Amino acid sequence: MFGQQSFSAMGSAEKSLLAMPPHQSNESFLKAYEVVLILDDRDTFGPRSRRKVVDNIRSQFNIPVEIKLLPVGDALWIARHKELDTDYVLDFIVERKNVDNLLGSIKDNRYKDQKLRLKKCGLRKLIYLVEGDVNTVDGSESVKTACFTTEVLEGFDVQRTTGYADTEKKYGHLTGSIIDYYSRNFSAGADTSRLCLTYDEFVKRCSDLEKVTMSDIFALQLMQVPQVTEEAALAVTSLYPTLLSLAKAYTMLDGDKRAQEKMLKNKSDMVNAGASKNIFKLIWAEG
């Protein structure tokens, strides 16, 4: 459960990884900043209008909610400086899918591309919110497997809701937990943590992600290989940005097939033995 309890349980090493907005000495978080929930203006809530969703969350939880065109994800949180009016993007982002959309994105591989973009957006706490009953769709096993790999292998925090109304409550509770986390850790982490990007910096960073490189295409190809997760694909492309560079690395091992199969596993903890072997098979086009 992603809430106050899990935030409290995080160790000091993990806390120090979360970005903090700028901090003045002896300044409390809530005195300096207001936390605002931002919803993507392309996100739909069935028969509910976005304005109705915003009003529901505001009235139930007494938190500010705004709608913007987000460059990635369906919801995120900003800390707005009360005097300077500068918006800083907090280290949490949500990708929301109802079960039917999730199944469709699994079939056409959009969900892998979306998760890869989330991984590269620079925010640390990636929340994958699955809305609805997975048992009601024809490909329920595919959806369950996708949720499992997304959470256990790829490090996302998978949250589930029963429907639109429950999602509104989830957003409200998450906002409360995030406010609580930053209120408790603002002073302690301000000097040791990364600095939050401003909203404009975040948008620019994400727009740069839209420029597809050969490395991005190679990563998407690798993610089609059995046992290769998004993290494994990114680990491989950080070492070998193109298929050609990886193929050259294999040739340096002078045909030692066993060493070639283990090469990527030995190079990165993110690549397990099965993925390492399967990628070698892909490059060498073996059966």
Side-chain angles (χ1 to χ4, degrees):
M1 185 71 176
F2 193 90
Q4 292 184 11
Q5 185 176 6
S6 61
F7 287 6
S8 301
M10 286 194 290
S12 58
E14 186 172 2
K15 285 178 183 177
S16 68
L17 295 176
L18 292 187
M20 292 280 172
H23 171 265
Q24 299 296 324
S25 61
N26 300 321
E27 184 179 51
S28 72
F29 177 71
L30 288 178
K31 184 176 180 180
Y33 293 98
E34 176 182 52
V35 174
V36 183
L37 168 63
I38 308 293
L39 301 179
D40 182 38
D41 76 351
R42 293 162 298 188
D43 205 11
T44 57
F45 289 82
R48 283 175 163 82
S49 68
R50 292 186 192 90
R51 182 51 51 196
K52 182 65 174 174
V53 170
V54 167
D55 290 343
N56 285 346
I57 298 173
R58 280 177 178 163
S59 61
Q60 285 187 69
F61 296 95
N62 193 31
I63 55 175
V65 185
E66 295 178 4
I67 295 174
K68 286 187 180 186
L69 178 62
L70 295 179
V72 63
D74 295 306
L76 53 76
W77 288 263
I78 61 170
R80 178 167 294 154
H81 198 280
K82 291 180 179 179
E83 291 184 6
L84 303 176
D85 206 35
T86 307
D87 292 342
Y88 296 93
V89 181
L90 299 178
D91 231 352
F92 300 80
I93 190 167
V94 175
E95 177 75 21
R96 170 181 163 262
K97 293 279 187 202
N98 69 42
V99 289
D100 292 316
N101 287 341
L102 178 54
L103 181 61
S105 67
I106 291 170
K107 289 179 177 178
D108 64 15
N109 271 325
R110 276 182 299 118
Y111 99 114
K112 288 189 174 183
D113 185 35
Q114 288 167 338
K115 285 193 292 183
L116 188 62
R117 291 179 71 237
L118 282 169
K119 284 272 189 185
K120 296 171 73 175
C121 79
L123 304 183
R124 290 291 174 89
K125 290 296 179 181
L126 309 175
I127 304 167
Y128 208 82
L129 196 157
V130 181
E131 188 177 82
D133 184 355
V134 297
N135 295 309
T136 61
V137 294
D138 291 338
S140 61
E141 289 305 314
S142 295
V143 173
K144 290 175 183 176
T145 299
C147 289
F148 176 82
T149 57
T150 297
E151 184 163 37
V152 176
L153 299 181
E154 293 152 11
F156 285 72
D157 184 9
V158 176
Q159 297 277 313
R160 293 176 176 82
T161 63
T162 57
Y164 303 123
D166 197 26
T167 294
E168 291 172 2
K169 292 178 182 176
K170 178 68 73 175
Y171 280 147
H173 291 310
L174 284 170
T175 304
S177 294
I178 288 168
I179 291 171
D180 178 67
Y181 173 80
Y182 277 93
S183 296
R184 287 185 290 105
N185 296 286
F186 183 56
S187 297
D191 296 328
T192 58
S193 298
R194 296 172 300 119
L195 194 65
C196 290
L197 296 174
T198 66
Y199 185 77
D200 290 342
E201 289 170 340
F202 175 73
V203 170
K204 184 182 185 307
R205 179 189 177 112
C206 292
S207 69
D208 290 341
L209 296 179
E210 296 295 334
K211 300 168 186 174
V212 179
T213 65
M214 288 184 66
S215 180
D216 295 330
I217 295 171
F218 186 32
L220 288 172
Q221 291 173 330
L222 289 172
M223 283 191 289
Q224 312 311 312
V225 178
Q227 299 190 49
V228 178
T229 65
E230 280 82 354
E231 283 194 339
L234 290 175
V236 173
T237 55
S238 69
L239 294 166
Y240 307 103
T242 63
L243 188 149
L244 181 60
S245 63
L246 177 56
K248 286 182 176 178
Y250 284 132
T251 62
M252 298 296 288
L253 295 174
D254 296 325
D256 183 343
K257 183 177 178 182
R258 192 174 186 84
Q260 290 168 327
E261 289 177 343
K262 291 182 176 180
M263 183 183 79
L264 291 175
K265 176 182 179 295
N266 293 336
K267 292 273 188 179
S268 173
D269 293 337
M270 296 295 179
V271 184
N272 66 32
S276 182
K277 185 175 182 178
N278 289 337
I279 291 172
F280 171 67
K281 287 183 177 180
L282 167 74
I283 302 301
W284 249 242
E286 294 187 355

